[in-house]
Amino acid sequence: MSISLYTATVPVLTQMLLALSDVLKKGEEYAQQRKCDPNALLQSRLFPDMLALVRQVQIACDFAKSVPSRIAGIEVAAYEDTEQSFAELQQRIAKTLELINTFTAAQLEGTTIKEVVLRPGTPKEKKLSVEDYALKYGMPQFFFHITTTYNLLRHNGVEIGKKDFMGSY
Amino acid sequence: MSISLYTATVPVLTQMLLALSDVLKKGEEYAQQRKCDPNALLQSRLFPDMLALVRQVQIACDFAKSVPSRIAGIEVAAYEDTEQSFAELQQRIAKTLELINTFTAAQLEGTTIKEVVLRPGTPKEKKLSVEDYALKYGMPQFFFHITTTYNLLRHNGVEIGKKDFMGSY
């Protein structure tokens, strides 16, 4: 059974970003209901030198847009990391969803890209086949930041469950 | 570019389980160095009604063995959930790695399974195509439990970083 790099990425990224959006809505509602500063959630961390929730969402979006872009061999759209509110994070997710849904199955299946270079020109430069880049690097990184966002909200008492994390599959 | 359901699952599961094993070793060493009860980590939770670390590792292994087994259409090996120590969790991971590495690329590529039924015979029964089962259900669930294990250790001060989470790719 053959699948395409499109099937392994774009629909999965879409599912998980929609779920992330819903999970963040529940986080925002929780802050409103408890009349607490939304920043208590947005700037929360699981440990002082881990990234705060806002950065987790930004980076999740970054991997979501990088994966199909790099498979297709087109420049990855740059987003400024200026989001400070739940509403702005929702906009970033919406913008990312819009972008990744411009990719067609034919476009990713027909890619001529064979290799992706991570951190080019640095001492940590690493070359990966496009499959390894997508499956062993990009998607695991994406899932890391999606799950950590969920865990941050859960740790702070937001009433969400695995069903919310998974979204519609 | 076509890939196989094998490429999208077994090598990724292997990479992440090896990384999980290393992350847990660092957790065990941390408990030893600080002379704290290993159960303080093993039974830790991010919130009272989330599952403890031991269960996160058990379930990660469960998805790791279920995904290739169900793609291949063979019965999923049952593991008893009896682990109580870091050493026993390492054994479960090793056993899971051994199992999933018995699957060959040809076996998963040549599968005749078209559909996977989740929670059969229950009101929550759900039928998925085998691709959707693997990519939109099994792998996201697996990543959830791997990441949550990492986050639990990180939250408790174990000195691990994204590099440890990612393993060798």
Side-chain angles (χ1 to χ4, degrees), chain A residues 1-3 15 46-47 49-50 109 119 126 130-131 136-137 141 143-145 147-148 150-151 154-155 157 162 166 169, chain B residues 1-3 12 15 46-47 49-50 109 119 126 130-131 136-137 141 143-145 147-148 150-151 154-155 157 162 165 169:
Chain A
M1 168 160 319
S2 283
I3 53 173
Q15 169 189 337
L46 286 172
F47 200 70
D49 66 356
M50 279 186 85
E109 277 172 42
R119 301 173 287 268
K126 189 172 172 83
V130 71
E131 299 96 321
K136 303 185 84 175
Y137 181 79
Q141 290 270 11
F143 278 113
F144 177 90
H145 294 285
T147 308
T148 302
Y150 172 94
N151 281 338
R154 196 74 166 75
H155 179 60
K162 179 75 81 62
M166 290 293 292
Y169 52 86
Chain B
M1 167 162 318
S2 283
I3 54 174
V12 181
Q15 169 191 336
L46 287 171
F47 199 70
D49 66 356
M50 280 186 84
E109 278 171 43
R119 302 172 287 268
K126 191 173 170 84
V130 70
E131 298 95 321
K136 303 186 85 175
Y137 181 78
Q141 290 270 12
F143 277 113
F144 177 90
H145 294 285
T147 308
T148 302
Y150 172 94
N151 281 338
R154 196 74 167 75
H155 179 60
K162 180 74 82 60
F165 172 79
Y169 52 87

Short mmCIF file of all heavy atoms in Angstrom, two decimals, chain A residues 1-3 15 46-47 49-50 109 119 126 130-131 136-137 141 143-145 147-148 150-151 154-155 157 162 166 169, chain B residues 1-3 12 15 46-47 49-50 109 119 126 130-131 136-137 141 143-145 147-148 150-151 154-155 157 162 165 169:
data_model
loop_
_atom_site.label_atom_id
_atom_site.label_comp_id
_atom_site.label_asym_id
_atom_site.label_seq_id
_atom_site.Cartn_x
_atom_site.Cartn_y
_atom_site.Cartn_z
N MET A 1 0.82 -1.19 0.00
CA MET A 1 0.00 0.00 0.00
C MET A 1 0.87 1.25 0.00
O MET A 1 1.65 1.47 0.92
CB MET A 1 -0.88 0.00 1.25
CG MET A 1 -1.55 1.34 1.47
SD MET A 1 -2.95 1.20 2.54
CE MET A 1 -3.71 -0.29 1.98
N SER A 2 0.72 2.05 -1.01
CA SER A 2 1.48 3.29 -1.10
C SER A 2 0.63 4.47 -0.69
O SER A 2 -0.56 4.53 -0.98
CB SER A 2 1.97 3.52 -2.53
OG SER A 2 3.06 2.69 -2.77
N ILE A 3 1.26 5.38 0.00
CA ILE A 3 0.59 6.63 0.33
C ILE A 3 1.50 7.73 -0.20
O ILE A 3 2.61 7.46 -0.64
CB ILE A 3 0.36 6.77 1.85
CG1 ILE A 3 1.68 6.57 2.59
CG2 ILE A 3 -0.69 5.80 2.33
CD1 ILE A 3 1.59 6.87 4.07
N GLN A 15 -5.94 18.47 10.61
CA GLN A 15 -6.70 17.90 11.74
C GLN A 15 -6.18 18.43 13.08
O GLN A 15 -6.97 18.87 13.94
CB GLN A 15 -6.54 16.37 11.70
CG GLN A 15 -7.04 15.64 12.95
CD GLN A 15 -6.63 14.15 12.93
OE1 GLN A 15 -6.37 13.57 11.87
NE2 GLN A 15 -6.58 13.54 14.09
N LEU A 46 6.00 24.76 31.63
CA LEU A 46 6.05 23.55 32.48
C LEU A 46 7.31 23.52 33.33
O LEU A 46 7.40 22.77 34.29
CB LEU A 46 5.97 22.29 31.62
CG LEU A 46 4.59 21.97 31.03
CD1 LEU A 46 4.68 20.81 30.05
CD2 LEU A 46 3.59 21.65 32.14
N PHE A 47 8.28 24.35 32.97
CA PHE A 47 9.53 24.49 33.74
C PHE A 47 10.14 25.81 33.28
O PHE A 47 9.93 26.21 32.13
CB PHE A 47 10.47 23.30 33.44
CG PHE A 47 11.52 23.11 34.50
CD1 PHE A 47 11.17 22.64 35.76
CD2 PHE A 47 12.85 23.40 34.24
CE1 PHE A 47 12.14 22.47 36.75
CE2 PHE A 47 13.82 23.23 35.22
CZ PHE A 47 13.47 22.77 36.48
N ASP A 49 12.85 27.00 32.15
CA ASP A 49 13.59 27.16 30.88
C ASP A 49 12.92 26.42 29.71
O ASP A 49 13.55 26.19 28.68
CB ASP A 49 15.07 26.79 31.04
CG ASP A 49 15.28 25.31 31.33
OD1 ASP A 49 14.29 24.58 31.49
OD2 ASP A 49 16.45 24.89 31.39
N MET A 50 11.67 26.09 29.87
CA MET A 50 10.89 25.64 28.69
C MET A 50 10.21 26.87 28.09
O MET A 50 10.09 27.91 28.74
CB MET A 50 9.83 24.61 29.09
CG MET A 50 10.38 23.21 29.26
SD MET A 50 9.05 21.97 29.56
CE MET A 50 8.52 21.55 27.88
N GLU A 109 3.09 15.25 -4.40
CA GLU A 109 3.46 13.95 -5.00
C GLU A 109 4.45 14.13 -6.14
O GLU A 109 5.31 13.31 -6.35
CB GLU A 109 2.22 13.24 -5.56
CG GLU A 109 1.46 12.48 -4.48
CD GLU A 109 0.14 11.94 -5.00
OE1 GLU A 109 0.10 11.42 -6.14
OE2 GLU A 109 -0.86 12.05 -4.27
N ARG A 119 19.30 23.79 9.13
CA ARG A 119 20.31 24.72 9.66
C ARG A 119 21.48 24.91 8.70
O ARG A 119 22.65 24.72 9.09
CB ARG A 119 20.81 24.21 11.02
CG ARG A 119 19.72 24.07 12.06
CD ARG A 119 20.22 23.40 13.34
NE ARG A 119 20.45 21.97 13.16
CZ ARG A 119 19.57 21.01 13.39
NH1 ARG A 119 18.37 21.30 13.83
NH2 ARG A 119 19.88 19.74 13.19
N LYS A 126 22.50 19.70 8.69
CA LYS A 126 22.17 18.27 8.55
C LYS A 126 21.32 18.08 7.30
O LYS A 126 20.35 18.80 7.10
CB LYS A 126 21.39 17.83 9.79
CG LYS A 126 21.18 16.33 9.89
CD LYS A 126 20.59 15.97 11.24
CE LYS A 126 20.20 14.52 11.29
NZ LYS A 126 21.32 13.62 11.59
N VAL A 130 13.96 13.89 1.74
CA VAL A 130 12.70 14.61 1.95
C VAL A 130 11.72 13.78 2.79
O VAL A 130 10.99 14.32 3.62
CB VAL A 130 12.12 15.13 0.61
CG1 VAL A 130 11.58 13.98 -0.24
CG2 VAL A 130 11.03 16.17 0.83
N GLU A 131 11.73 12.46 2.61
CA GLU A 131 10.86 11.61 3.44
C GLU A 131 11.28 11.67 4.91
O GLU A 131 10.44 11.79 5.80
CB GLU A 131 10.93 10.12 3.04
CG GLU A 131 10.50 9.77 1.66
CD GLU A 131 11.69 9.69 0.73
OE1 GLU A 131 12.62 10.53 0.86
OE2 GLU A 131 11.70 8.81 -0.14
N LYS A 136 10.45 11.95 10.03
CA LYS A 136 11.29 11.73 11.21
C LYS A 136 11.72 13.03 11.88
O LYS A 136 12.33 13.02 12.93
CB LYS A 136 12.51 10.88 10.83
CG LYS A 136 12.10 9.55 10.19
CD LYS A 136 13.29 8.66 9.92
CE LYS A 136 13.65 7.87 11.18
NZ LYS A 136 14.73 6.90 10.94
N TYR A 137 11.45 14.15 11.23
CA TYR A 137 11.83 15.44 11.81
C TYR A 137 10.64 16.39 11.93
O TYR A 137 10.24 16.76 13.02
CB TYR A 137 12.96 16.08 10.97
CG TYR A 137 13.41 17.40 11.52
CD1 TYR A 137 14.27 17.46 12.61
CD2 TYR A 137 12.97 18.59 10.96
CE1 TYR A 137 14.66 18.68 13.15
CE2 TYR A 137 13.35 19.82 11.49
CZ TYR A 137 14.20 19.85 12.58
OH TYR A 137 14.57 21.05 13.11
N GLN A 141 8.38 17.05 15.44
CA GLN A 141 8.52 18.38 16.04
C GLN A 141 7.14 19.04 16.17
O GLN A 141 6.82 19.63 17.20
CB GLN A 141 9.39 19.28 15.14
CG GLN A 141 10.86 18.90 15.10
CD GLN A 141 11.68 19.59 16.19
OE1 GLN A 141 11.15 20.21 17.11
NE2 GLN A 141 12.98 19.46 16.08
N PHE A 143 4.19 17.58 16.41
CA PHE A 143 3.43 16.92 17.48
C PHE A 143 3.94 17.31 18.87
O PHE A 143 3.18 17.41 19.82
CB PHE A 143 3.46 15.39 17.32
CG PHE A 143 2.45 14.89 16.33
CD1 PHE A 143 2.83 14.32 15.13
CD2 PHE A 143 1.09 14.99 16.61
CE1 PHE A 143 1.89 13.86 14.22
CE2 PHE A 143 0.14 14.54 15.71
CZ PHE A 143 0.55 13.97 14.51
N PHE A 144 5.24 17.51 18.97
CA PHE A 144 5.80 17.92 20.26
C PHE A 144 5.14 19.23 20.73
O PHE A 144 4.69 19.33 21.88
CB PHE A 144 7.32 18.12 20.15
CG PHE A 144 7.93 18.61 21.43
CD1 PHE A 144 8.39 17.72 22.38
CD2 PHE A 144 8.01 19.97 21.72
CE1 PHE A 144 8.91 18.15 23.59
CE2 PHE A 144 8.53 20.42 22.92
CZ PHE A 144 8.98 19.51 23.86
N HIS A 145 5.07 20.20 19.85
CA HIS A 145 4.58 21.53 20.27
C HIS A 145 3.06 21.55 20.44
O HIS A 145 2.53 22.27 21.29
CB HIS A 145 5.07 22.60 19.30
CG HIS A 145 6.56 22.75 19.38
ND1 HIS A 145 7.18 23.39 20.42
CD2 HIS A 145 7.55 22.28 18.58
CE1 HIS A 145 8.49 23.33 20.26
NE2 HIS A 145 8.75 22.66 19.14
N THR A 147 1.30 18.91 21.47
CA THR A 147 1.04 18.19 22.72
C THR A 147 1.44 19.05 23.92
O THR A 147 0.75 19.05 24.95
CB THR A 147 1.82 16.86 22.76
OG1 THR A 147 1.54 16.13 21.57
CG2 THR A 147 1.42 16.03 23.97
N THR A 148 2.54 19.77 23.80
CA THR A 148 2.99 20.59 24.93
C THR A 148 2.00 21.73 25.20
O THR A 148 1.74 22.07 26.36
CB THR A 148 4.42 21.09 24.69
OG1 THR A 148 5.26 19.95 24.49
CG2 THR A 148 4.95 21.90 25.86
N TYR A 150 -1.24 21.54 24.69
CA TYR A 150 -2.34 20.84 25.39
C TYR A 150 -1.95 20.60 26.85
O TYR A 150 -2.74 20.86 27.77
CB TYR A 150 -2.62 19.51 24.67
CG TYR A 150 -3.60 18.62 25.40
CD1 TYR A 150 -4.96 18.64 25.11
CD2 TYR A 150 -3.15 17.74 26.39
CE1 TYR A 150 -5.85 17.82 25.78
CE2 TYR A 150 -4.04 16.92 27.08
CZ TYR A 150 -5.39 16.96 26.77
OH TYR A 150 -6.27 16.15 27.45
N ASN A 151 -0.75 20.09 27.07
CA ASN A 151 -0.31 19.76 28.44
C ASN A 151 -0.25 21.01 29.32
O ASN A 151 -0.56 20.94 30.50
CB ASN A 151 1.05 19.07 28.41
CG ASN A 151 0.93 17.58 28.05
OD1 ASN A 151 -0.13 16.98 28.20
ND2 ASN A 151 2.01 17.00 27.57
N ARG A 154 -3.83 21.82 30.24
CA ARG A 154 -4.31 20.77 31.14
C ARG A 154 -3.71 20.95 32.53
O ARG A 154 -4.41 20.85 33.55
CB ARG A 154 -3.90 19.44 30.52
CG ARG A 154 -4.56 18.22 31.02
CD ARG A 154 -5.98 18.10 30.52
NE ARG A 154 -6.45 16.74 30.78
CZ ARG A 154 -6.80 16.29 31.99
NH1 ARG A 154 -6.77 17.09 33.03
NH2 ARG A 154 -7.19 15.03 32.13
N HIS A 155 -2.42 21.22 32.55
CA HIS A 155 -1.70 21.42 33.81
C HIS A 155 -2.28 22.61 34.58
O HIS A 155 -2.25 22.64 35.82
CB HIS A 155 -0.22 21.67 33.49
CG HIS A 155 0.63 21.92 34.69
ND1 HIS A 155 0.78 21.00 35.71
CD2 HIS A 155 1.39 22.99 35.04
CE1 HIS A 155 1.59 21.49 36.63
NE2 HIS A 155 1.98 22.70 36.26
N GLY A 157 -5.40 23.40 34.56
CA GLY A 157 -6.77 23.11 34.98
C GLY A 157 -7.84 23.26 33.92
O GLY A 157 -9.02 23.06 34.22
N LYS A 162 -8.39 13.97 25.85
CA LYS A 162 -7.73 13.43 24.67
C LYS A 162 -8.56 13.68 23.40
O LYS A 162 -8.00 13.92 22.32
CB LYS A 162 -7.45 11.94 24.88
CG LYS A 162 -6.80 11.23 23.73
CD LYS A 162 -5.34 11.55 23.62
CE LYS A 162 -4.56 10.73 24.59
NZ LYS A 162 -4.68 9.28 24.35
N MET A 166 -7.24 15.21 19.89
CA MET A 166 -7.24 14.45 18.62
C MET A 166 -8.03 15.14 17.52
O MET A 166 -7.73 14.96 16.35
CB MET A 166 -7.83 13.06 18.85
CG MET A 166 -6.96 12.15 19.67
SD MET A 166 -5.41 11.68 18.82
CE MET A 166 -6.07 10.66 17.50
N TYR A 169 -10.97 12.81 13.16
CA TYR A 169 -10.16 11.93 12.33
C TYR A 169 -11.05 10.93 11.63
O TYR A 169 -12.23 10.88 11.88
CB TYR A 169 -9.09 11.22 13.15
CG TYR A 169 -9.60 10.53 14.36
CD1 TYR A 169 -10.09 9.23 14.31
CD2 TYR A 169 -9.63 11.19 15.60
CE1 TYR A 169 -10.59 8.60 15.44
CE2 TYR A 169 -10.12 10.57 16.74
CZ TYR A 169 -10.60 9.28 16.66
OH TYR A 169 -11.11 8.67 17.77
N MET B 1 5.81 11.64 -5.28
CA MET B 1 6.64 10.77 -4.45
C MET B 1 5.77 9.90 -3.56
O MET B 1 5.00 10.39 -2.76
CB MET B 1 7.54 11.65 -3.58
CG MET B 1 8.20 10.87 -2.47
SD MET B 1 9.60 11.71 -1.80
CE MET B 1 10.40 12.34 -3.23
N SER B 2 5.92 8.60 -3.74
CA SER B 2 5.15 7.68 -2.91
C SER B 2 6.01 7.13 -1.78
O SER B 2 7.20 6.88 -1.96
CB SER B 2 4.65 6.51 -3.75
OG SER B 2 3.56 6.93 -4.53
N ILE B 3 5.39 6.97 -0.66
CA ILE B 3 6.05 6.30 0.46
C ILE B 3 5.13 5.16 0.87
O ILE B 3 4.04 5.04 0.36
CB ILE B 3 6.27 7.27 1.64
CG1 ILE B 3 4.96 7.94 2.04
CG2 ILE B 3 7.34 8.31 1.30
CD1 ILE B 3 5.05 8.78 3.27
N VAL B 12 9.75 5.48 12.31
CA VAL B 12 9.45 6.63 13.18
C VAL B 12 9.19 6.15 14.61
O VAL B 12 9.73 6.71 15.59
CB VAL B 12 8.24 7.43 12.65
CG1 VAL B 12 7.95 8.63 13.53
CG2 VAL B 12 8.45 7.85 11.20
N GLN B 15 12.58 5.19 16.11
CA GLN B 15 13.34 6.40 16.50
C GLN B 15 12.83 6.96 17.82
O GLN B 15 13.62 7.25 18.74
CB GLN B 15 13.19 7.45 15.39
CG GLN B 15 13.70 8.83 15.75
CD GLN B 15 13.28 9.88 14.70
OE1 GLN B 15 13.03 9.54 13.54
NE2 GLN B 15 13.21 11.13 15.09
N LEU B 46 0.64 15.60 35.43
CA LEU B 46 0.59 17.04 35.19
C LEU B 46 -0.66 17.67 35.77
O LEU B 46 -0.76 18.89 35.91
CB LEU B 46 0.66 17.35 33.69
CG LEU B 46 2.04 17.15 33.04
CD1 LEU B 46 1.95 17.27 31.52
CD2 LEU B 46 3.07 18.13 33.59
N PHE B 47 -1.63 16.83 36.08
CA PHE B 47 -2.87 17.28 36.72
C PHE B 47 -3.48 16.04 37.34
O PHE B 47 -3.31 14.93 36.81
CB PHE B 47 -3.81 17.91 35.67
CG PHE B 47 -4.87 18.79 36.28
CD1 PHE B 47 -4.53 20.02 36.85
CD2 PHE B 47 -6.20 18.39 36.30
CE1 PHE B 47 -5.51 20.82 37.42
CE2 PHE B 47 -7.18 19.20 36.86
CZ PHE B 47 -6.82 20.42 37.43
N ASP B 49 -6.21 14.39 37.37
CA ASP B 49 -6.94 13.38 36.59
C ASP B 49 -6.28 13.08 35.24
O ASP B 49 -6.92 12.53 34.34
CB ASP B 49 -8.43 13.74 36.43
CG ASP B 49 -8.64 14.99 35.59
OD1 ASP B 49 -7.64 15.63 35.19
OD2 ASP B 49 -9.80 15.33 35.32
N MET B 50 -4.99 13.41 35.12
CA MET B 50 -4.23 12.90 33.96
C MET B 50 -3.55 11.61 34.40
O MET B 50 -3.43 11.33 35.60
CB MET B 50 -3.17 13.92 33.50
CG MET B 50 -3.73 15.04 32.66
SD MET B 50 -2.42 16.12 31.97
CE MET B 50 -1.91 15.22 30.50
N GLU B 109 3.56 -3.14 3.19
CA GLU B 109 3.17 -2.65 1.85
C GLU B 109 2.18 -3.59 1.19
O GLU B 109 1.31 -3.14 0.45
CB GLU B 109 4.42 -2.52 0.95
CG GLU B 109 5.17 -1.24 1.19
CD GLU B 109 6.49 -1.21 0.45
OE1 GLU B 109 6.54 -1.63 -0.73
OE2 GLU B 109 7.49 -0.78 1.06
N ARG B 119 -12.68 0.38 18.82
CA ARG B 119 -13.69 0.11 19.85
C ARG B 119 -14.87 -0.70 19.30
O ARG B 119 -16.03 -0.31 19.45
CB ARG B 119 -14.20 1.42 20.46
CG ARG B 119 -13.09 2.27 21.08
CD ARG B 119 -13.58 3.65 21.50
NE ARG B 119 -13.83 4.52 20.38
CZ ARG B 119 -12.96 5.37 19.85
NH1 ARG B 119 -11.76 5.48 20.37
NH2 ARG B 119 -13.27 6.12 18.80
N LYS B 126 -15.88 2.96 15.60
CA LYS B 126 -15.54 3.87 14.51
C LYS B 126 -14.69 3.12 13.49
O LYS B 126 -13.71 2.47 13.86
CB LYS B 126 -14.77 5.06 15.09
CG LYS B 126 -14.59 6.20 14.10
CD LYS B 126 -13.96 7.43 14.77
CE LYS B 126 -13.57 8.46 13.76
NZ LYS B 126 -14.69 9.33 13.36
N VAL B 130 -7.32 2.17 6.58
CA VAL B 130 -6.07 1.81 7.25
C VAL B 130 -5.08 2.98 7.25
O VAL B 130 -4.36 3.19 8.24
CB VAL B 130 -5.47 0.49 6.66
CG1 VAL B 130 -4.96 0.71 5.25
CG2 VAL B 130 -4.40 -0.08 7.56
N GLU B 131 -5.09 3.80 6.20
CA GLU B 131 -4.20 4.99 6.18
C GLU B 131 -4.62 5.98 7.26
O GLU B 131 -3.79 6.53 7.97
CB GLU B 131 -4.27 5.76 4.85
CG GLU B 131 -3.84 5.04 3.61
CD GLU B 131 -5.05 4.43 2.90
OE1 GLU B 131 -5.97 3.92 3.59
OE2 GLU B 131 -5.05 4.44 1.67
N LYS B 136 -3.79 9.39 11.10
CA LYS B 136 -4.64 10.39 11.78
C LYS B 136 -5.07 9.92 13.16
O LYS B 136 -5.69 10.69 13.91
CB LYS B 136 -5.87 10.71 10.91
CG LYS B 136 -5.46 11.20 9.51
CD LYS B 136 -6.65 11.65 8.68
CE LYS B 136 -6.99 13.09 9.00
NZ LYS B 136 -8.07 13.62 8.15
N TYR B 137 -4.80 8.68 13.49
CA TYR B 137 -5.19 8.17 14.81
C TYR B 137 -3.99 7.58 15.57
O TYR B 137 -3.60 8.10 16.60
CB TYR B 137 -6.32 7.13 14.65
CG TYR B 137 -6.78 6.59 15.98
CD1 TYR B 137 -7.63 7.33 16.80
CD2 TYR B 137 -6.34 5.34 16.44
CE1 TYR B 137 -8.02 6.84 18.05
CE2 TYR B 137 -6.73 4.85 17.68
CZ TYR B 137 -7.57 5.60 18.47
OH TYR B 137 -7.95 5.14 19.70
N GLN B 141 -1.74 9.61 18.51
CA GLN B 141 -1.87 9.08 19.88
C GLN B 141 -0.48 8.73 20.43
O GLN B 141 -0.16 9.03 21.59
CB GLN B 141 -2.75 7.81 19.88
CG GLN B 141 -4.20 8.07 19.58
CD GLN B 141 -5.03 8.33 20.85
OE1 GLN B 141 -4.49 8.55 21.92
NE2 GLN B 141 -6.33 8.34 20.69
N PHE B 143 2.45 9.93 19.58
CA PHE B 143 3.22 11.14 19.86
C PHE B 143 2.71 11.85 21.12
O PHE B 143 3.49 12.45 21.86
CB PHE B 143 3.19 12.10 18.66
CG PHE B 143 4.20 11.76 17.62
CD1 PHE B 143 3.82 11.32 16.36
CD2 PHE B 143 5.55 11.87 17.89
CE1 PHE B 143 4.77 10.99 15.39
CE2 PHE B 143 6.52 11.56 16.93
CZ PHE B 143 6.11 11.12 15.68
N PHE B 144 1.41 11.79 21.33
CA PHE B 144 0.86 12.41 22.54
C PHE B 144 1.51 11.81 23.79
O PHE B 144 1.96 12.54 24.68
CB PHE B 144 -0.67 12.19 22.59
CG PHE B 144 -1.28 12.74 23.85
CD1 PHE B 144 -1.72 14.05 23.90
CD2 PHE B 144 -1.37 11.97 25.00
CE1 PHE B 144 -2.25 14.58 25.07
CE2 PHE B 144 -1.89 12.49 26.18
CZ PHE B 144 -2.33 13.81 26.21
N HIS B 145 1.57 10.49 23.86
CA HIS B 145 2.07 9.85 25.09
C HIS B 145 3.59 9.96 25.23
O HIS B 145 4.11 10.06 26.34
CB HIS B 145 1.57 8.41 25.16
CG HIS B 145 0.08 8.36 25.32
ND1 HIS B 145 -0.54 8.65 26.51
CD2 HIS B 145 -0.91 8.12 24.43
CE1 HIS B 145 -1.85 8.57 26.35
NE2 HIS B 145 -2.10 8.25 25.10
N THR B 147 5.35 12.55 24.11
CA THR B 147 5.61 13.95 24.49
C THR B 147 5.21 14.19 25.94
O THR B 147 5.90 14.91 26.66
CB THR B 147 4.84 14.91 23.56
OG1 THR B 147 5.12 14.59 22.21
CG2 THR B 147 5.24 16.36 23.83
N THR B 148 4.11 13.60 26.35
CA THR B 148 3.66 13.82 27.73
C THR B 148 4.65 13.20 28.72
O THR B 148 4.91 13.78 29.79
CB THR B 148 2.23 13.28 27.92
OG1 THR B 148 1.38 13.96 26.97
CG2 THR B 148 1.70 13.53 29.32
N TYR B 150 7.89 12.98 28.23
CA TYR B 150 8.99 13.96 28.23
C TYR B 150 8.61 15.17 29.09
O TYR B 150 9.38 15.62 29.94
CB TYR B 150 9.27 14.40 26.79
CG TYR B 150 10.25 15.55 26.67
CD1 TYR B 150 11.61 15.31 26.48
CD2 TYR B 150 9.81 16.87 26.75
CE1 TYR B 150 12.51 16.37 26.38
CE2 TYR B 150 10.69 17.93 26.65
CZ TYR B 150 12.04 17.67 26.47
OH TYR B 150 12.92 18.72 26.38
N ASN B 151 7.40 15.68 28.89
CA ASN B 151 6.97 16.88 29.63
C ASN B 151 6.90 16.61 31.14
O ASN B 151 7.21 17.51 31.93
CB ASN B 151 5.60 17.35 29.12
CG ASN B 151 5.71 18.14 27.82
OD1 ASN B 151 6.78 18.68 27.50
ND2 ASN B 151 4.64 18.22 27.07
N ARG B 154 10.48 16.69 32.36
CA ARG B 154 10.97 18.07 32.26
C ARG B 154 10.36 18.93 33.36
O ARG B 154 11.06 19.71 34.01
CB ARG B 154 10.56 18.56 30.88
CG ARG B 154 11.22 19.78 30.36
CD ARG B 154 12.63 19.52 29.92
NE ARG B 154 13.10 20.67 29.14
CZ ARG B 154 13.43 21.83 29.69
NH1 ARG B 154 13.39 22.00 30.99
NH2 ARG B 154 13.82 22.83 28.91
N HIS B 155 9.07 18.75 33.59
CA HIS B 155 8.36 19.50 34.61
C HIS B 155 8.93 19.21 36.00
O HIS B 155 8.90 20.06 36.90
CB HIS B 155 6.88 19.10 34.56
CG HIS B 155 6.02 19.76 35.58
ND1 HIS B 155 5.87 21.13 35.65
CD2 HIS B 155 5.25 19.25 36.59
CE1 HIS B 155 5.04 21.43 36.65
NE2 HIS B 155 4.66 20.31 37.23
N GLY B 157 12.05 18.63 36.53
CA GLY B 157 13.43 19.12 36.63
C GLY B 157 14.50 18.28 35.98
O GLY B 157 15.68 18.63 36.04
N LYS B 162 15.04 19.16 23.71
CA LYS B 162 14.37 18.70 22.49
C LYS B 162 15.19 17.64 21.76
O LYS B 162 14.64 16.71 21.18
CB LYS B 162 14.12 19.90 21.58
CG LYS B 162 13.43 19.59 20.26
CD LYS B 162 11.97 19.28 20.43
CE LYS B 162 11.19 20.55 20.52
NZ LYS B 162 11.33 21.41 19.33
N PHE B 165 14.38 14.38 23.10
CA PHE B 165 13.06 13.97 22.64
C PHE B 165 13.12 13.40 21.22
O PHE B 165 12.48 12.41 20.91
CB PHE B 165 12.10 15.17 22.66
CG PHE B 165 10.77 14.88 22.01
CD1 PHE B 165 9.79 14.17 22.69
CD2 PHE B 165 10.50 15.30 20.71
CE1 PHE B 165 8.57 13.89 22.09
CE2 PHE B 165 9.29 15.02 20.11
CZ PHE B 165 8.32 14.31 20.81
N TYR B 169 17.61 11.00 13.92
CA TYR B 169 16.81 11.02 12.70
C TYR B 169 17.69 11.24 11.49
O TYR B 169 18.87 11.45 11.62
CB TYR B 169 15.72 12.12 12.78
CG TYR B 169 16.24 13.48 13.14
CD1 TYR B 169 16.72 14.36 12.18
CD2 TYR B 169 16.27 13.89 14.49
CE1 TYR B 169 17.20 15.61 12.54
CE2 TYR B 169 16.75 15.13 14.85
CZ TYR B 169 17.23 16.00 13.87
OH TYR B 169 17.71 17.22 14.23
#
